[in-house]
Each structure stands twice: as C-alpha cells, then as structure tokens.
Amino acid sequence: MDTPAAADWSELPADVLGLVLLELEFPDLFRSAAVCKLWRATARDIRRLGLYSRAQTPCLLYTTAAAGPRAAVLYSLADKTTSYTVSLPDPPIAERHIVGSSHGWLVTADHRSELHLLNPATGEQLDLPPVATIEHVRPLYDDAGNLNNYKLVYYDGGGNSHRRNDDDMHTVTHPPETFREFLYLKAVISSDPSRGDDYTVMLIHHPYLQLSFARSGDKKWTWIKMGNNECEWFEDCIYHDGVFYAQIVHGAIHAIDVVSASSSFTHRLILKPTMGELGTLYIVRTTEGDILQVLRVTEEDEGGEHKDVRTTEIGVYKVDYKKQDLDDVDDIGNNALFIGTSYSMCLPVKDYPHLMPNHIYFDDDYGYFVHRKHLRRDVGVYDYTNDTAIDVESPQPWLNWPLAPVWITPSFTKTAKYS
C-alpha cells in the first residue's frame, strides 16, 4: 500500500491559513513568516489590518547596548529561547523611564519628564497631559523664557500641609531631566487605548505619593484631594468595572470612581489599614473576584556604599472586607501573579500554560535614583511553594539605566488613528 503523501501546509488557502495564524502567540506568528511567501504575506496582512488580537503571555521588555537606543527587546515567557527586538519611535526608548505597564501599553517619562503612552508591539504613541499641569508642579523659566527647572510643592488634602501659599510650603527644585526620578511612582491605565477613547490613566506621584488622573483627551491632570487629616501614601492601584482601587503603604484601600467627561470623582474607604510598613505592598484581583494584598520584602547585599537589592520573601493575603482584615494565603493554586512597575495581576495557568503555577513574577520598582545606575536590577520569579527566587535570564542581558526591565502583555490591536 502506498504511503499517503504528507500534507503540504504551504498550500493552505489564505483564509484558512489566516484563521490558523490568528491562534498563534506572537513568537510563533513571527516564525511562521519564514515558511514561504504565502505565509509571510498572510502574517503581515493580519497584523497590518489590525486583525491580530490574541491574548499574549507576558513578556519582559528591556533595552540592550546591541539593540541601540531606539529599540527594545521582548523576552517572551511563551518562548524562552528567543528574544525579539522591536524598533520604536522617538524619544529614544533607552533614554526613558518606565512608570507603568497596562494592557500592552507602557507609561514612559522622557528626558524632559513628560509622560507618553507607548505600545511596543505596534509602535503607536500617545501624549499625556504636560507634567506642569500636575497640581503640585511649578515650571521655572530663565530670563530668555526657556524651561530651567521644575519646583515640587509639598502639600496634600489635609493635615498641616494643606494648600495655602507656595511660599508657606516646603519645596524642592529639579531640572527637567532628573525631575522624573523624584516625581513618579506608578501609573495604571483603565483599559486598552487601542480599543477606544474612554480610557483613564491614574498616576501615583509625589509629594506624599498622592493620586492624579487624566482621561483620554484631557489637557491637564486632575488631583484627587482626599480631604482627610493625613497623607495616604498610595503604593499601588488596579482597575475593575469602572472603579480604581488604590492601596496605601499600610494596606488601606480606597475605591475611586472617576466620572466620565468631567473632572469629577468620588472616593470611599473600603478597607482600613491592615499592616505596618514592612515592604512593598501590591493589590491584585483574582479571576474569582477576590482581592489579594501581596507583600514583597527586599534586602540589600552587604558591603559597599550602594548595594544590590534582592527580593527575599513574598507573602500573599486575601482581603476580608466584612471583617476588615486579612487571611493568610498558603497557596495561590494554578495561578501566576505579576507585581512591580507593571500592572499587578493574576493569570490562570490554564489560560496561560507557559506560566508556572503558584509562582510570582516580579520586576524592579525599587526606584530610578541615579545611584542604582550600575547595580543589579531585581527581576525574577518567586516560587511561592518553596519561598525561593530565581532570575528570569542569567546573566542579566539588559541595560540597567535609565530604563529598567518591566513586564508587559503585548497588544497588537491598533488604534483607529493608526489603522
């Protein structure tokens, strides 16, 4: 009996081939272009036409000397053998700081401390309102009218530092190129900007780690004045079903509803402080709807004036709103958590089989201060079963400064502007 001829996949009709390629993660999609001219053309077309919207396994984005200042590297957890270099628009990505990563978009601060949204997968970029429109920021100009410095005025919504007059307040002054190191902590985007113009960016910033937000199309930042008698010191924030959940360093959680098409907002305290300031605290929502608080403890290596920082312990706790307390979580099951500068999230391994269950992926959000320029970045994976951390890549291939590695879930959906 004759052996049946092997199927010739290069002869697939273009429409059928397109359906197959749409189901691939991007490393396999990129590789498919090398099969033949038809596959290459089909892979190119589904990206060009904005049809490729498959959910992606998170990647680590970083810069290298070999890639140059205008390109970034994506290291995919779906394919740990290959890194992919993407060219990006100016200002050069290697000269920016990363302030946040949500829905496939980065929030970046350029060398003038201005903020931009950047999608590394598509190269699209959107400007955010000027830094000078943040409530606590004052631009300072020289005699020729050139921007010389920014002044940060230290007041909050209550206590003994509420707004009176700038002359009565403590202030600090920085040139534009270093102001970003002291101003920004983290930014969170409510939804994918590629899918519409109804997104909001929530920014955690100094002084006192307060909150400001900007909707798509806004010309300035709106300060969220809490109106209580002490600084809140926010540390992390997530978004769900129209509400931002912002968490302070001691674990208290505020629910903030940003009203559409206005500068209005409402907020309420939904969880009282739960712990002391023991480390960095993140807020994560599970797929079942539970809220977790994730405590990350770091230690500095011994020796030297400036020391490497390493994650030594991570604890996970479930919020009990009724008791206004926390329950220990001994096992996060078939889930993987992501924390750091990136959006804090919980992903089920059944939907992301390349991730390790009961593991926590973290990037380095310890700070952009210049003394860390030549230090190791604390990026790795924490085994919650064995309480051990390992490097994502060893040796670390990335540049440490000014852009630090960050987790991102690539989005290949294009905005209407670029379609």
Side-chain angles (χ1 to χ4, degrees):
M1 181 179 294
D2 294 336
T3 303
D8 186 353
W9 286 80
S10 66
E11 297 297 325
L12 276 178
D15 56 345
V16 176
L17 175 61
L19 293 175
V20 173
L21 297 185
L22 286 173
E23 296 302 314
L24 301 179
E25 291 223 32
F26 84 87
D28 291 329
L29 177 67
F30 288 1
R31 271 196 293 266
S32 71
V35 173
C36 62
K37 290 183 179 180
L38 173 63
W39 284 50
R40 181 165 58 252
T42 305
R44 181 182 65 245
D45 287 346
I46 64 175
R47 291 181 59 197
R48 179 178 58 83
L49 296 172
L51 302 176
Y52 186 59
S53 58
R54 186 200 191 282
Q56 301 289 326
T57 300
C59 299
L60 190 67
L61 180 141
Y62 53 83
T63 56
T64 65
R70 289 175 171 80
V73 174
L74 288 172
Y75 174 80
S76 175
L77 293 174
D79 176 17
K80 301 181 179 67
T81 61
T82 311
S83 298
Y84 299 86
T85 302
V86 290
S87 298
L88 298 171
D90 284 337
I93 184 65
E95 298 174 6
R96 308 194 204 190
H97 288 181
I98 303 297
V99 184
S101 168
S102 307
H103 306 289
W105 290 72
L106 301 174
V107 184
T108 72
D110 66 20
H111 70 291
R112 304 293 287 175
S113 297
E114 297 292 355
L115 293 175
H116 310 269
L117 299 180
L118 174 65
N119 184 334
T122 64
E124 297 170 30
Q125 184 164 253
L126 303 169
D127 293 335
L128 289 172
V131 60
T133 65
I134 294 176
E135 172 72 20
H136 310 80
V137 176
R138 310 285 183 268
L140 304 177
Y141 300 93
D142 61 22
D143 293 339
N146 300 311
L147 179 65
N148 193 26
N149 286 293
Y150 283 115
K151 179 170 68 174
L152 187 64
V153 185
Y154 276 69
Y155 62 87
D156 58 27
N160 58 12
S161 62
H162 59 278
R163 178 74 183 275
R164 295 190 295 271
N165 183 290
D166 286 1
D167 294 336
D168 301 325
M169 301 289 98
H170 171 65
T171 64
V172 294
T173 301
H174 296 283
E177 57 269 20
T178 61
F179 191 47
R180 58 187 178 177
E181 299 174 24
F182 302 92
L183 181 63
Y184 304 123
L185 177 71
K186 187 171 186 176
V188 168
I189 312 172
S190 64
S191 58
D192 186 348
S194 305
R195 300 183 183 275
D197 291 333
D198 58 350
Y199 64 88
T200 300
V201 179
M202 186 67 72
L203 180 65
I204 306 175
H205 61 87
H206 280 291
Y208 309 124
L209 296 183
Q210 300 182 68
L211 299 173
S212 295
F213 67 87
R215 300 179 192 81
S216 55
D218 281 357
K219 302 302 182 184
K220 68 181 187 68
W221 293 93
T222 298
W223 175 39
I224 295 182
K225 183 178 179 181
M226 303 307 291
N228 54 17
N229 290 321
E230 60 180 271
C231 300
E232 293 294 350
W233 291 88
F234 288 96
E235 194 161 35
D236 198 14
C237 183
I238 58 174
Y239 179 86
H240 176 69
D241 200 20
V243 177
F244 286 96
Y245 296 88
Q247 179 174 269
I248 70 168
V249 295
H250 294 120
I253 299 175
H254 290 260
I256 302 167
D257 187 356
V258 175
V259 181
S260 299
S262 75
S263 59
S264 301
F265 61 88
T266 62
H267 69 88
R268 65 188 189 280
L269 180 69
I270 60 174
L271 183 69
K272 297 177 181 178
T274 56
M275 64 179 67
E277 193 173 346
L278 305 174
T280 305
L281 196 61
Y282 307 89
I283 178 173
V284 177
R285 184 181 185 275
T286 69
T287 53
E288 293 78 21
D290 295 324
I291 296 297
L292 306 178
Q293 292 191 341
V294 182
L295 178 66
R296 176 181 178 182
V297 179
T298 58
E299 292 182 359
E300 293 184 340
D301 290 348
E302 296 181 0
E305 179 181 358
H306 301 305
K307 309 172 182 65
D308 287 340
V309 176
R310 298 179 185 273
T311 296
T312 57
E313 182 180 354
I314 297 179
V316 181
Y317 310 90
K318 180 181 174 181
V319 172
D320 187 324
Y321 287 118
K322 188 174 182 179
K323 295 191 303 183
Q324 290 287 293
D325 205 353
L326 302 177
D327 297 323
D328 290 347
V329 176
D330 297 325
D331 190 304
I332 56 177
N334 289 317
N335 295 303
L337 305 185
F338 284 78
I339 58 174
T341 302
S342 62
Y343 189 88
S344 303
M345 59 185 176
C346 172
L347 297 179
V349 173
K350 66 180 179 62
D351 297 331
Y352 298 87
H354 300 286
L355 301 180
M356 293 183 286
N358 212 35
H359 281 68
I360 302 169
Y361 297 76
F362 57 88
D363 61 42
D364 189 323
D365 60 355
Y366 190 67
Y368 274 108
F369 297 111
V370 69
H371 73 259
R372 301 200 66 215
K373 185 173 183 178
H374 301 295
L375 299 181
R376 170 190 177 275
R377 284 294 185 175
D378 186 29
V379 179
V381 187
Y382 188 86
D383 185 336
Y384 197 57
T385 301
N386 300 321
D387 293 321
T388 56
I390 60 172
D391 287 339
V392 176
E393 292 188 81
S394 184
Q396 294 186 346
W398 46 75
L399 296 174
N400 286 341
W401 182 266
L403 183 144
V406 64
W407 292 111
I408 185 170
T409 304
S411 170
F412 290 84
T413 303
K414 292 187 176 182
T415 63
K417 174 183 176 182
Y418 290 87
S419 297

